[in-house]
Amino acid sequence: MSVSDESLYNDFSETGNKEALKTLFERYRMSVVLFVFGYVRNIDDAEDIMMDTFAVIAAFEARFSGKSSFKTWLFSISHNLACKHIRKQSRLLFHNTVDLAEPDTSPEDKLLTTERDQRLYKAIGALNPDYGKALYLLYFEKMTNDDIGRIMRKNKSQVAHLLERGRKALKERLERSGFEYDGQ
């Protein structure tokens, strides 16, 4: 049986056990990269933000209080760092010209293992950003509506509406592309 995230974090924070932090890193690094990529749309930036997320944890710049699951707390940190990055990039775009060309290979194709997941992830990425974030957390990270609300800073009703509208938009997008969608 695997050790819980909370136990690993507590082991790291109380004893400095770096192996516990390494286990958490291995457990969540790819999920955090995919989640952040949905915000920043650049794989290098997503990987940097993932590393920054774990640096915040390692340096105890944020403390896990146990009010949510460790995973929800971790994704909240990465969400905040991604938003900060986007604000910074917006200021830079105002002053500089940036090449916004799409990369030749899709980073999500490298990270997602099944064709179904790849198609679903791409379709979610083409939706309204709030719909996409909520659906990603629900489908790929298996989070509850409460956890999604904590990460996105939305109340229960707002999350329910985002998921309802997002599912409808996702179903339409997938059906137009010939992909059967069961809503689960």
Side-chain angles (χ1 to χ4, degrees), residues 65-88:
S65 67
K67 293 179 183 174
S68 64
S69 70
F70 173 84
K71 184 176 182 179
T72 299
W73 178 69
L74 175 72
F75 276 74
S76 294
I77 293 170
S78 65
H79 167 85
N80 292 337
L81 291 172
C83 290
K84 183 177 177 180
H85 173 81
I86 290 167
R87 285 190 301 273
K88 181 179 175 185

Side-chain angles (χ1 to χ4, degrees), residues 109-143:
D109 287 347
K110 296 175 187 173
L111 300 174
L112 298 169
T113 56
T114 67
E115 179 184 352
R116 177 188 178 278
D117 284 351
Q118 289 173 3
R119 290 183 76 178
L120 185 60
Y121 185 80
K122 286 180 183 179
I124 286 172
L127 300 176
N128 168 301
D130 281 342
Y131 297 168
K133 292 169 200 168
L135 290 172
Y136 173 82
L137 291 170
L138 179 71
Y139 291 144
F140 288 96
E141 297 305 323
K142 311 288 188 240
M143 291 195 173

